[in-house]
Amino acid sequence: MKIPKDRVRFNVGGRIFETTSTTLANAGRNSFFGALFSENWSLKQPNSDSFSNCEFFIDRNPDCFSVLLDLLRTGDLNIPTNVPERNLYREASFYGLLDHVRSAKWGQFDGNRLRHSRSVTGRAPGDGTAIRAGPDGGCCVAHGSVVHVYDWIMEEHPPLNLDYQRVNDVAWVDSENIIISACERLGRGDGGMGLFSKSTGELRYKFQVCHENQVKSFTAGALCTSSDFKIFSSCKGRSNEYGIGVWDQVTGKQIDFFYESPGWSLGDADKLQWLNGSNCLLVATLFPRKDNCYISMLDFRDKRMVWSWSDFGAPITVDEKRVRDTIAMEDSNAICVVNEYEDLGFMDLRMNGGSVKWSSRSRMMKGKLSDEPCYPKLALHGGQLFSSMDDCISVFCGPDWVLTSRLRRDYGGSICDFSIGGDRLFALHSEENVFDVWETPPPPIS
């Protein structure tokens, strides 16, 4: 793309700035500055005067304009102490440069280079139960019957609730829509699932479960979404509607239901994970929700359970204890599990019903657990494996999942949940109603 290097002069709030059309083109076609260009990226001239004498007046903050212009010139974001970040974000929104600011503030996610950015104290009474990272760098936190929503600059949006019933899980459909799953209230038809606007808190629609052509009230549990615009949730009804429901993300209509078979557990699932490569759904019901653990892979195309494992009837040794979380690793055809001592275990997805191979090299602690332990959680991102334990998060890398780094903060107590998304890691603490934000610093200037 050939861009003419014309000089451009701006008068912003009484201060004069001079730059080139090449620099302004870095803002992109959809920005404020993109409107100054023609289709072939030639700068539009507002009158017949020579372009060198043309000056554009903008009645905005000149200090913020200076920072944003420098960002377009160099790609680096340097915020002087006299410029409040909130003001800068407001001006960046006006010019259509929020994405530029966000990408300059932190780099591509790398668990081994994460640095603590900030801690955010919640306003809700009691402890948080779940935190979910949004695709744009924001997050949402479930506290009892309310979900608190934060954008990427950590400003809080209107809180969400579904009939003020206890929230079981939260999931982002996209950067503007959030799903809540909640308990039903007997006799009222409250609870279930709802889709909300992140920005306004508006309930856009409630999801329904149909059983034998009748709409049923239900308790919705674990949530996940797929790349082909489907929403999955574990469901418990009062009749026979126990299993995994499937809804169309666009219309909100139920399109499928996988019923729970006798002797197995689907409706009480703690965790769902969609696997794009195999077009299957991981469903895990874990201790202590049930006395035993049930992990399965469901193929909805032919309503078949293609892989399963349970510790039912198996002896539990002192070292292994119970499986507390699990995650599927498609690239290595494996299921990873973790116990309360943060021992990692692995199962081969190519072998149905095999045993867990525990890795003692991953053991982070032995002996007595804390008085109020938070059970470990697992996450997989960019080929790195993350496991929380007490007040820290461990990072494992390589084919043998070697421990490479640990993230820890001294404030807030044990980590009850964490989530990765939008190139950030969010860690929710159990004791002080606070969550931490971890970011990867931008790459150094070469």
Side-chain angles (χ1 to χ4, degrees), residues 163 184-192 206 217-218 238:
D163 307 314
E184 73 164 323
R185 181 162 53 172
L186 294 178
R188 294 287 299 272
D190 294 342
K206 288 188 71 173
S217 62
F218 68 104
R238 282 172 283 164

Side-chain angles (χ1 to χ4, degrees), residues 14-29:
R15 281 173 54 185
I16 303 301
F17 296 87
E18 196 163 323
T19 184
T20 67
S21 59
T22 303
T23 295
L24 296 179
N26 291 330
R29 175 64 68 188

Side-chain angles (χ1 to χ4, degrees), residues 118-156:
R118 69 181 76 184
S119 295
V120 180
T121 302
R123 300 177 182 177
D127 298 335
T129 55
I131 191 165
R132 298 290 180 264
D136 62 351
C139 72
C140 57
V141 184
H143 286 88
S145 60
V146 177
V147 175
H148 296 268
V149 182
Y150 301 84
D151 58 28
W152 71 272
I153 61 177
M154 294 296 104
E155 288 195 342
E156 189 171 354

Side-chain angles (χ1 to χ4, degrees), residues 122-421:
R123 300 177 182 177
D127 298 335
T129 55
I131 191 165
R132 298 290 180 264
D136 62 351
C139 72
C140 57
V141 184
H143 286 88
S145 60
V146 177
V147 175
H148 296 268
V149 182
Y150 301 84
D151 58 28
W152 71 272
I153 61 177
M154 294 296 104
E155 288 195 342
E156 189 171 354
H157 290 247
L160 316 177
N161 77 86
L162 193 58
D163 307 314
Y164 288 101
Q165 298 305 295
R166 182 171 61 84
V167 175
N168 292 322
D169 201 359
V170 189
W172 291 81
V173 173
D174 50 42
S175 60
E176 288 298 325
N177 295 283
I178 297 173
I179 317 168
I180 292 178
S181 66
C183 298
E184 73 164 323
R185 181 162 53 172
L186 294 178
R188 294 287 299 272
D190 294 342
M193 287 170 54
L195 180 77
F196 292 82
S197 164
K198 177 200 78 172
S199 302
T200 66
E202 172 195 4
L203 174 62
R204 293 185 167 167
Y205 49 80
K206 288 188 71 173
F207 301 87
Q208 295 180 332
V209 165
C210 289
H211 177 65
E212 297 180 346
N213 296 321
Q214 291 186 346
V215 176
K216 300 284 188 176
S217 62
F218 68 104
T219 289
L223 295 167
C224 82
T225 61
S226 67
S227 57
D228 58 348
F229 306 106
K230 293 185 178 70
I231 298 170
F232 301 85
S233 175
S234 57
C235 300
K236 291 195 304 180
R238 282 172 283 164
S239 300
N240 190 36
E241 55 273 19
Y242 282 70
I244 306 297
V246 189
W247 291 265
D248 185 282
Q249 184 175 304
V250 178
T251 66
K253 304 297 184 182
Q254 181 185 337
I255 55 177
D256 209 343
F257 200 95
F258 197 114
Y259 286 95
E260 181 177 294
S261 59
W264 202 256
S265 178
L266 297 177
D268 281 310
D270 299 85
K271 187 168 191 174
L272 304 182
Q273 179 189 353
W274 177 255
L275 307 181
N276 287 316
S278 59
N279 283 310
C280 290
L281 182 73
L282 170 76
V283 183
T285 306
L286 306 166
F287 184 84
R289 187 180 296 268
K290 288 282 190 178
D291 291 336
N292 294 97
C293 302
Y294 302 87
I295 305 174
S296 50
M297 300 281 290
L298 307 183
D299 190 334
F300 282 80
R301 291 168 294 186
D302 53 8
K303 291 288 180 57
R304 191 164 58 97
M305 188 180 296
V306 296
W307 185 92
S308 62
W309 175 88
S310 175
D311 63 1
F312 181 79
I316 303 298
T317 68
V318 174
D319 283 342
E320 291 180 358
K321 297 296 181 183
R322 298 283 190 180
V323 171
R324 302 294 187 176
D325 199 9
T326 183
I327 196 165
M329 312 165 82
E330 275 197 288
D331 291 343
S332 54
N333 289 309
I335 294 281
C336 178
V337 296
V338 63
N339 65 18
E340 63 193 69
Y341 291 106
E342 207 191 12
D343 294 321
L344 298 181
F346 299 89
M347 292 180 281
D348 195 331
L349 273 174
R350 295 165 295 186
M351 298 175 57
N352 203 355
S355 61
V356 180
K357 295 181 179 179
W358 293 99
S359 174
S360 60
R361 288 171 296 178
S362 66
R363 185 168 289 130
M364 297 294 100
M365 53 94 58
K366 293 290 289 181
K368 187 183 179 201
L369 295 171
S370 60
D371 293 335
E372 295 185 4
C374 286
Y375 297 126
K377 297 292 180 72
L378 293 172
L380 188 68
H381 190 89
Q384 297 176 322
L385 181 64
F386 299 79
S387 174
S388 64
M389 184 69 190
D390 290 340
D391 62 347
C392 75
I393 297 174
S394 303
V395 185
F396 302 88
C397 298
D400 296 324
W401 301 113
V402 177
L403 175 66
T404 54
S405 60
R406 300 175 77 181
L407 314 175
R408 170 178 277 139
R409 291 283 296 163
D410 295 331
Y411 176 71
S414 297
I415 295 172
C416 63
D417 197 17
F418 73 96
S419 182
I420 302 170

